[in-house]
Amino acid sequence: MAEQEWMSEVRAKVGREYGRVYAWDEVNAPMIRQWCEVMGVDNPLYTDADYAATTEFGGIVAPPAMLQAWCLEGLHMNNYAPGSTDENPYEVLKTMEAHGLPSVVAVNSDLHFERYVKLGEKLYYTTRLDAIGEEKTTALGTGYFVTLIMSFFSQKPEGDEKVGQLLFRVFKFRPANVPKPVEKGAAPAVPKFKRPKPGVSDDTRFFWEGAEAGKLLIQRCTCCSTLRHPPAPVCIKCHSFDWDTVEASGKGSIYSFVVMHYPEVPPFEHPNPIGLIELDEGVRLIAGLVGVKRDEIQIGQRVQVEFQSFDDGELTLPMFRPVAA
């Protein structure tokens, strides 16, 4: 089938609204508290019932950025709450794969909020295939930008109320650099993959330059001495724009961790343990764990920074190794 023919079929689905996906639970205080703890959010409007009762909301509300979390399937893929649709809102991506566009990369995701959601509300969302762009050729390859919009609603006896929406856009494409077939009898070339380099800005440059020098530098507000990481242009406590840096000891403990098994992305080794490290200075940062056995990693385990160079010295990263108690 010619590309224009199957793409016409795909474009005919633009505007289609897919069925509801329900939340497993009502908006509840324990989930809000745990989310705030993990994200480092300490706004009493979200966790302090006495304080929240004195506000215009009359009680605890959920952080707006939690909107998508209420309707996620959980640990197991596609394990949605009873009553949820079994329609696949990504069916157009499967069609594109079948016609020679196997690769996908997320482009952007935008959340829009109508209002705070309160304890006891039960949410659901629907998905609309919003747009499919014209064919584009990028450095990655040639393909199409696909945009979906998920609209979130609160169930109400008098009529369901929209509380927000999530725009999600991906690029579905045919890779530009497809490896050439290996000639018969020739040894296949082994591609050399490099680690992705971090985005460096005026706010973060000090951190990466410090890593190259073997120093773990943390941003510090010069007005109130608050330490902050990730780096930011303004103090989260006093809102000052003035800051300097302090060299951390590099000692800390594992606050949380994951062990990545899939997808296996070169050049990373798998399983790939990654830790959320709480430094003794009080801030947390995400870093790779080295010298560990995945079955022996423990919350609270003491670790020490060590700097490792990759890609012939092009990149230096702070990694953390367990130390004796």
Side-chain angles (χ1 to χ4, degrees):
M1 184 184 296
E3 183 164 330
Q4 57 268 27
E5 295 180 24
W6 65 261
M7 272 305 299
S8 296
E9 295 179 7
V10 168
R11 291 188 186 281
K13 292 183 171 64
V14 172
R16 178 178 175 181
E17 192 90 18
Y18 294 82
R20 298 181 179 185
V21 173
Y22 289 98
W24 275 101
D25 303 290
E26 295 179 345
V27 176
N28 62 86
M31 189 169 170
I32 293 173
R33 176 181 55 79
Q34 292 169 7
W35 187 94
C36 288
E37 182 179 348
V38 170
M39 300 302 293
V41 175
D42 58 2
N43 189 334
L45 180 61
Y46 306 145
T47 56
D48 187 332
D50 293 335
Y51 170 82
T54 66
T55 68
E56 60 183 296
F57 306 105
I60 287 176
V61 295
M66 279 191 75
L67 183 61
Q68 187 183 12
W70 297 111
C71 296
L72 293 177
E73 64 266 48
L75 179 63
H76 303 290
M77 185 177 294
N78 297 324
N79 183 32
Y80 293 105
S84 298
T85 182
D86 58 1
E87 297 175 314
N88 180 9
Y90 302 102
E91 60 178 346
V92 295
L93 302 184
K94 294 294 184 183
T95 302
M96 290 179 171
E97 286 179 9
H99 288 87
L101 301 172
S103 299
V104 64
V105 61
V107 178
N108 64 295
S109 178
D110 298 325
L111 273 171
H112 173 79
F113 315 107
E114 301 288 341
R115 64 166 176 83
Y116 285 103
V117 295
K118 300 181 178 181
L119 299 183
E121 291 192 84
K122 194 72 177 288
L123 306 184
Y124 68 85
Y125 72 84
T126 61
T127 303
R128 184 180 79 252
L129 178 58
D130 186 65
I132 298 176
E134 296 300 319
E135 185 180 72
K136 298 288 185 181
T137 298
T138 72
L140 292 174
T142 300
Y144 302 86
F145 289 93
V146 179
T147 305
L148 298 104
I149 292 181
M150 284 157 271
S151 297
F152 289 79
F153 297 86
S154 174
Q155 299 179 64
K156 302 282 187 181
E158 64 275 15
D160 297 343
E161 179 185 2
K162 186 175 180 180
V163 295
Q165 74 175 32
L166 168 66
L167 179 149
F168 184 58
R169 181 175 293 121
V170 300
F171 183 49
K172 195 69 175 157
F173 63 99
R174 184 183 301 108
N177 299 314
V178 179
K180 296 180 179 179
V182 178
E183 295 182 7
K184 188 176 181 180
V190 178
K192 185 177 181 181
F193 295 96
K194 293 185 177 182
R195 291 194 174 222
K197 293 184 178 180
V200 178
S201 68
D202 290 340
D203 296 320
T204 64
R205 185 171 290 105
F206 77 90
F207 181 83
W208 300 111
E209 290 178 349
E212 289 183 8
K215 299 179 180 180
L216 186 62
L217 299 181
I218 304 298
Q219 198 174 42
R220 176 177 60 184
C221 175
T222 55
C223 289
C224 67
S225 298
T226 296
L227 300 179
R228 60 181 186 262
H229 190 87
V234 62
C235 178
I236 58 177
K237 186 174 182 180
C238 73
H239 303 158
S240 170
F241 285 88
D242 299 323
W243 58 270
D244 62 6
T245 63
V246 61
E247 183 177 355
S249 66
K251 299 178 181 179
S253 58
I254 298 177
Y255 184 85
S256 184
F257 69 92
V258 296
V259 179
M260 298 294 296
H261 295 267
Y262 183 85
E264 295 188 0
V265 179
F268 299 98
E269 297 180 357
H270 291 83
N272 182 19
I274 302 169
L276 177 59
I277 309 301
E278 185 164 69
L279 298 177
D280 288 350
E281 288 77 11
V283 297
R284 300 172 189 159
L285 75 162
I286 297 172
L289 299 174
V290 295
V292 296
K293 295 181 179 179
R294 58 191 176 109
D295 296 332
E296 297 178 359
I297 304 174
Q298 297 181 3
I299 301 297
Q301 190 171 14
R302 293 291 294 173
V303 290
Q304 172 71 51
V305 72
E306 67 175 49
F307 295 92
Q308 295 191 4
S309 295
F310 301 91
D311 305 327
D312 299 323
E314 292 183 13
L315 179 64
T316 302
L317 296 176
M319 314 286 278
F320 283 82
R321 182 181 297 273
V323 295

